Amino acid sequence: MIGAAVTGYLTALSLILAIGAQNAFVLRQGLMRRHVLALVLFCAVSDAVLITAGVLGFGRLVALWPGFPTIMALAGAAFLVVYGLLRFRDAWIGSYSLDLDGGGSGFWPTMLTAAAITWANPHVYLDTLGLIGAISTQYAPAAEKAAFATAAVAASFTFFFALGYGARLLAPVMRTPRTWRVLDAGIGAVMWAIAAGLLASVF
């Protein structure tokens, strides 16, 4: 169970850590200290719903189509290899920048923006319903699968609360290209390690 939990936590954390519109938005709101609690709860709960759906949905598909986990494991490994390569590329280029200009929005505009960048982003479905669901199929016992899903959800809550409330402290570091290069390189390494695990489970 510990191994499943560690894999779930690191998988979800690595996917969430990738620089994107959602993280930049949460960081921006955290820097301005506006609607932080509602925003981080919305993002984390959204992830929890999608992660749970991915893990449960894969279990039902496996019962109907036993070969489906192998196909998804191969597809997931291929995605992780490419995803990791992109992170290594970004680490090499170091072109990340965060736009923090402009004033804060009201509560509802903020939440509507969060909903749009969360639920209208196709990558979130690939990451949660597809990739996390595929990785969860490595764990047949219900207890291990539950540990994997719970840890993945915990990673989401940990990250968004840390990002939202730690933004003020992290702002000087986050603005440094070197820090983002190290972060992207670390994400790439974790992605490739997970891909290797998926391929090992198939072959």
Side-chain angles (χ1 to χ4, degrees):
M1 286 181 59
I2 295 178
V6 170
T7 300
Y9 192 93
L10 291 179
T11 300
L13 189 62
S14 296
L15 291 170
I16 298 168
L17 275 173
I19 300 166
Q22 186 186 51
N23 293 351
F25 183 68
V26 173
L27 181 59
R28 183 175 185 272
Q29 293 299 123
L31 289 168
M32 294 186 297
R33 298 182 183 180
R34 294 183 62 86
H35 321 301
V36 178
L37 178 59
L39 180 60
V40 297
L41 276 175
F42 177 85
C43 293
V45 170
S46 295
D47 268 6
V49 170
L50 291 166
I51 289 169
T52 303
V55 173
L56 294 179
F58 260 73
R60 295 181 180 180
L61 281 174
V62 169
L64 296 173
W65 187 10
F68 190 67
T70 299
I71 295 174
M72 289 307 299
L74 292 173
F79 170 78
L80 284 169
V81 169
V82 175
Y83 197 88
L85 185 62
L86 292 175
R87 299 280 68 78
F88 284 125
R89 183 202 64 181
D90 288 348
W92 178 263
I93 296 174
S95 60
Y96 178 75
S97 62
L98 179 65
D99 180 13
L100 295 175
D101 296 330
S105 301
F107 177 78
W108 287 114
T110 297
M111 299 312 295
L112 288 173
T113 300
I117 62 178
T118 299
W119 291 93
N121 179 7
H123 293 291
V124 73
Y125 300 102
L126 179 61
D127 290 348
T128 54
L129 298 180
L131 188 56
I132 291 179
I135 295 173
S136 72
T137 60
Q138 299 179 71
Y139 307 104
E144 288 189 355
K145 194 177 290 290
F148 175 88
T150 301
V153 170
S156 178
F157 274 84
T158 300
F159 174 78
F160 283 116
F161 272 83
L163 182 61
Y165 285 101
R168 288 281 182 178
L169 298 175
L170 294 174
V173 179
M174 290 291 193
R175 292 179 184 274
T176 305
R178 181 180 178 182
T179 302
W180 286 104
R181 285 181 171 179
V182 172
L183 180 61
D184 276 334
I187 292 171
V190 171
M191 290 297 177
W192 279 11
I194 296 172
L198 279 176
L199 292 175
S201 70
V202 173
F203 301 106

